[in-house]
Amino acid sequence: MSTTAAPAAAGTILGYARVSTGHQSLNQQADALTAAGVDPTRVYNDKLSGTTTREQRPGLAALLDYAREGDVIVVVGIDRLGRSASEVMSTIADLLSRGIVIRAIREGVDSSTPTGRAVLGIMASLAELELELGRERRTAAREARRERGQPIGRPKALDTQKVALAQRMHTAGESASTIAEALGVSRATVYRAIATD
């Protein structure tokens, strides 16, 4: 008996659908998932607007929490698993390491097959490489700025003169809200400025 082929998945077939804005419909993805064999009661979904993190996506969070080794997660497209390439790849790496099968309908990828695992592995490796190259570029840019004596990091919300003004206003009895409004910054910035007084 050969041990090289992955056993057929015997777990639960789960689906995940995501749309990027509140006015888009999940119906098309849900229909594709049920046509692929997902029970409609096992489809997790998210409707997102704006930039969100994985923690702000209750559908994806619930799916990742529920899925167990041997389960199959079906998506219409692999890009549904995240809002960026690096996030998609980290989700794929997490699922593969947990023994969860990934099926992407559009790409025809199925991680229960050797070819499918290889394709997903290559995609994950490329994303890791892109992240590493990005880190190297940011480090090189910081070093170049440091060598030129230029500031590194985000510019301060308040320059020295405005910090001094915030401190004078605070000493005169103005509230943090009033100071923040006058200087066009957040109250947290004002609190930091007056704390250096």
Side-chain angles (χ1 to χ4, degrees), residues 169-187:
M169 290 174 75
H170 174 66
T171 304
E174 295 291 346
S175 70
S177 296
T178 303
I179 299 169
E181 190 175 332
L183 297 177
V185 295
S186 69
R187 286 188 310 166

Side-chain angles (χ1 to χ4, degrees), residues 71-89:
D71 286 351
V72 178
I73 293 178
V74 183
V75 289
V76 171
I78 207 75
D79 62 328
R80 299 297 87 194
L81 292 173
R83 295 290 295 263
S84 66
S86 60
E87 188 181 324
V88 169
M89 294 312 127

Side-chain angles (χ1 to χ4, degrees), residues 85-172:
S86 60
E87 188 181 324
V88 169
M89 294 312 127
S90 69
T91 301
I92 288 172
D94 174 51
L95 293 172
L96 292 178
S97 72
R98 292 167 52 193
I100 297 167
V101 174
I102 304 164
R103 288 189 188 142
I105 298 168
R106 186 173 54 225
E107 292 87 355
V109 176
D110 184 334
S111 70
S112 68
T113 68
T115 302
R117 285 191 301 279
V119 168
L120 288 172
I122 290 167
M123 291 170 74
S125 296
L126 289 173
E128 263 314 301
L129 175 62
E130 181 55 36
L131 285 173
E132 185 59 36
L133 291 173
R135 280 192 289 268
E136 287 178 9
R137 284 191 295 268
R138 287 188 295 277
T139 300
R142 274 194 305 274
E143 287 304 314
R145 291 184 71 78
R146 182 177 288 121
E147 286 176 11
R148 290 185 181 97
Q150 296 173 328
I152 298 169
R154 207 169 58 175
K156 293 187 177 186
L158 296 176
D159 60 22
T160 332
Q161 292 176 336
K162 287 186 179 176
V163 168
L165 176 57
Q167 291 169 348
R168 286 194 305 274
M169 290 174 75
H170 174 66
T171 304

Side-chain angles (χ1 to χ4, degrees), residues 7-8 22 28-29 40 51-53 60 68 77 112 131 138 164 181 191:
Q28 185 178 3
Q29 290 180 56
T51 304
T52 58
T53 63
L60 181 61
R68 298 289 179 260
S112 68
L131 285 173
R138 287 188 295 277
E181 190 175 332
Y191 289 128

